[in-house]
Amino acid sequence: MLLHVCCAPCSLGTVAYWRQQGVEPILYYNNPNIHPYSEYRHRLAVLEEMAATEGLRLITSNTYSLPSFFQAVMTVGAEFPARCRFCYRLRLEAAADMATELGVGSFTTTLLISPYQQHQELIAIGKEVAQQKGLFFAYADLRPLFRQSQQEARHRGYYRQKYCGCLFSNYESYK
């Protein structure tokens, strides 16, 4: 299974869950929404450390283009929740495309562990993208594992961000 990952703290609990289910996920880091670029790189560096520690394969997208992301968001509107739906679709479509490229029949996302994400939107978009691409969207409600995953990240000394990644979310976290 291909696992779209946003950060190491969310990945810890998600990977543990899927391993308990007998699934060894391939991690896929594709997050053109993360701003600034230093934040994007920092999250990736911590994720690379986590993947190495856990013995996981990590694939990184080389498509980071903040101007393109901003232009695309502005076509749907920067307001919550429209921008989030757009961002979910963007990343889940990229994950589905990578799963297809690798010959992997299913995909999911670490975003499902966060109580701060729009859970029902993620499920609907994931299933829709999976159907369009001829894949299976692996769903599990991992939100009960969120605090435990964050505590494990703290225990390991992993960086834990205070916003989802986009400039708009960063701004809203300070309001």
Side-chain angles (χ1 to χ4, degrees):
M1 176 175 67
L2 187 80
L3 174 60
H4 164 263
V5 293
C6 58
C7 63
C10 289
S11 298
L12 286 169
T14 305
V15 167
Y17 172 82
W18 287 111
R19 280 180 163 172
Q20 288 172 352
Q21 307 310 308
V23 176
E24 186 68 11
I26 299 168
L27 308 184
Y28 181 55
Y29 185 77
N30 182 318
N31 298 290
N33 60 306
I34 298 176
H35 178 78
Y37 187 64
S38 59
E39 176 77 13
Y40 174 89
R41 295 292 310 157
H42 193 191
R43 291 185 193 196
L44 177 56
V46 176
L47 185 61
E48 288 170 336
E49 178 185 343
M50 186 220 98
T53 300
E54 295 292 319
L56 292 159
R57 179 177 175 194
L58 171 63
I59 299 170
T60 305
S61 169
N62 294 322
T63 60
Y64 185 87
S65 173
L66 196 59
S68 296
F69 176 76
F70 281 146
Q71 286 175 336
V73 166
M74 297 316 285
T75 64
V76 299
E79 297 303 315
F80 173 85
R83 71 166 189 264
C84 298
R85 282 193 297 269
F86 166 78
C87 190
Y88 296 155
R89 182 171 302 283
L90 179 73
R91 295 186 284 166
L92 291 176
E93 284 178 350
D97 288 343
M98 180 55 69
T100 299
E101 184 178 321
L102 296 172
V104 176
S106 63
F107 71 101
T108 192
T109 179
T110 58
L111 297 170
L112 291 169
I113 200 170
S114 174
Y116 302 108
Q117 300 298 327
Q118 297 175 31
H119 200 77
Q120 295 306 316
E121 290 286 344
L122 279 167
I123 298 166
I125 293 168
K127 288 181 176 181
E128 181 183 326
V129 168
Q131 184 178 24
Q132 291 169 352
K133 307 283 184 173
L135 299 169
F136 176 73
F137 181 69
Y139 169 72
D141 186 355
L142 302 177
R143 293 175 293 182
L145 302 175
F146 180 75
R147 298 283 173 230
Q148 177 185 345
S149 190
Q150 295 296 308
Q151 288 172 347
E152 179 63 22
R154 184 180 303 113
H155 173 74
R156 293 184 185 201
Y158 289 167
Y159 168 68
R160 295 175 310 118
Q161 62 280 353
K162 295 180 176 19
Y163 65 104
C164 83
C166 80
L167 178 64
F168 307 105
S169 172
N170 189 5
Y171 170 72
E172 290 168 355
S173 74
Y174 288 102
K175 280 177 56 177

